[in-house]
Amino acid sequence: MDLYFLGTGAGLPSKRRNVTSIALRLHDERGTFWLIDCGEATQHKILSSPLSLSKLEHIFITHLHGDHIFGLPGLLGSRGFQAGEKPLVIYGPRGLEQFVETTIRLSETHLPYRLWVSVIDGGVIFDDEQMTVTCRQLNHGIPSYGYRFEEKPKRGKLRQTLLQEQGIPAGPIYGKLKEGHDVALDDGRVLRSADYLAPPTPGRVVTILGDTRPCDSAEELAEGADVLVHEATYAASEWERAQNHHHSTATDAARTAANAGVKQLVLTHVSARYDEEGEAKLLADAQAIFPATTLAHDHLIINVPRLPG
């Protein structure tokens, strides 16, 4: 599991940063990747990345401002040439379904795959045997959401040495115990799976927030996350401007990370007003509050390691 940053700028694309889009790569876990936001030219960024649209499984849209959705029509059309009939689900706020349907219809774009738009309104929006995705509304000028991607714990390894010490030979019994099933032996003994499995490995948590002022929902979504991705549109010296435009500063992001007890903070959605020196100041301001902070740039990869239980 890792994060691949396709676009890290705010509002307008620049020569150094494209507008917002992040891929959550789940190649080892699912053989796919999920896309969070799809600003203009996202598919062009994908062309210069290791990603392939044929592996795209889900899209999660945080809000309907153009720098987060204007890349959708082109990407959806191009995916049809690469992914065949593989279905695709897009999650996002109310109005997204109208935007997608209208652009596809008016452009007469033919999609050879099934496309669903799932309207979100908070709570659990996706759940299967591997992942749970929860969203909450944040504090922005229009409805904007954050997403918490939570991997389910991985069952512990089978303690084969213990079984061998008890005279139980390798075979189907091992497989049943590993799958979590208790096994009754011919001699009357019952082997409890829990007694022969190592502690489970905790699942990883990634929280990616849409545009927002500091708010309780952001901290709730980020609680204990391995990685928090938070906007840092403005420097601390422009706090009032950030408030007026419904955004956060780098120090706001750092305080959210500290309050939520996350392991790593990644700043993104950086205004084009900042040159390299200004960006260094953004990072320094955040690190003064939360040292484990990284400033994202286009094509940055952030690994999310699986920690032992």
Side-chain angles (χ1 to χ4, degrees):
M1 178 189 293
D2 64 33
L3 292 168
Y4 192 102
F5 287 81
L6 292 160
T8 56
L12 299 172
S14 69
K15 292 181 179 179
R16 295 176 58 240
R17 295 178 181 274
N18 196 45
V19 287
T20 300
S21 186
I22 305 168
L24 176 61
R25 297 199 294 184
L26 302 165
H27 289 174
D28 292 341
E29 296 79 12
R30 305 174 72 91
T32 66
F33 76 93
W34 296 354
L35 195 65
I36 298 87
D37 284 335
C38 188
E40 180 183 356
T42 291
Q43 68 167 316
H44 292 270
K45 283 288 187 176
I46 288 176
L47 290 174
S48 55
S49 80
L51 301 169
S52 170
L53 287 178
S54 66
K55 301 295 185 181
L56 176 58
E57 184 181 12
H58 298 302
I59 301 176
F60 300 85
I61 299 299
T62 62
H63 64 294
L64 301 187
H65 279 152
D67 57 321
H68 295 257
I69 66 168
F70 281 170
L72 269 175
L75 182 141
L76 294 176
S78 295
R79 184 180 183 273
F81 293 102
Q82 298 184 37
E85 297 181 353
K86 293 181 181 178
L88 178 66
V89 183
I90 309 177
Y91 301 85
R94 191 167 306 281
L96 178 62
E97 72 278 23
Q98 184 179 0
F99 172 79
V100 170
E101 189 278 330
T102 300
T103 54
I104 294 299
R105 175 173 51 83
L106 292 181
S107 63
E108 298 188 12
T109 300
H110 171 67
L111 301 181
Y113 56 87
R114 294 195 64 183
L115 176 67
W116 292 272
V117 177
S118 179
V119 176
I120 62 175
D121 191 27
V124 175
I125 60 170
F126 177 85
D127 186 65
D128 68 5
E129 67 281 357
Q130 290 180 316
M131 299 285 290
T132 299
V133 183
T134 306
C135 72
R136 285 181 179 270
Q137 187 167 341
L138 304 171
N139 185 344
H140 194 47
I142 64 173
S144 179
Y145 289 81
Y147 294 98
R148 180 182 176 93
F149 302 92
E150 193 162 0
E151 182 184 40
K152 294 185 176 175
K154 185 177 181 181
R155 185 178 290 121
K157 293 183 178 180
L158 185 66
R159 301 165 64 186
Q160 296 188 28
T161 301
L162 178 59
L163 287 165
Q164 292 166 1
E165 290 173 352
Q166 295 179 1
I168 301 169
I173 291 175
Y174 281 32
K176 292 179 181 178
L177 292 171
K178 187 175 181 179
E179 292 173 0
H181 304 296
D182 295 342
V183 178
L185 301 180
D186 293 339
D187 61 11
R189 286 183 294 167
V190 176
L191 305 181
R192 295 178 63 252
S193 174
D195 295 336
Y196 297 95
L197 292 177
T201 302
R204 292 161 287 185
V205 177
V206 173
T207 297
I208 300 176
L209 304 180
D211 295 0
T212 186
R213 293 167 170 162
C215 62
D216 291 342
S217 294
E219 293 186 14
E220 291 165 1
L221 285 170
E223 183 178 359
D226 293 276
V227 179
L228 166 63
V229 180
H230 197 302
E231 69 135 297
T233 310
Y234 294 101
S237 60
E238 296 189 90
W239 180 84
E240 187 173 349
R241 182 189 292 270
Q243 286 291 297
N244 291 339
H245 290 85
H246 309 280
H247 284 291
S248 293
T249 66
T251 52
D252 290 330
R255 291 190 187 98
T256 295
N259 292 341
V262 308
K263 295 182 179 68
Q264 182 177 7
L265 169 65
V266 183
L267 304 177
T268 190
H269 202 268
V270 179
S271 172
R273 72 182 62 228
Y274 301 112
D275 56 15
E276 291 185 14
E277 183 178 347
E279 290 178 356
K281 182 64 168 60
L282 284 176
L283 180 58
D285 287 346
Q287 288 179 334
I289 297 171
F290 192 81
T293 300
T294 300
L295 181 66
H297 57 77
D298 291 12
H299 298 294
L300 172 69
I301 299 173
I302 296 290
N303 185 42
V304 188
R306 187 188 296 277
L307 300 177

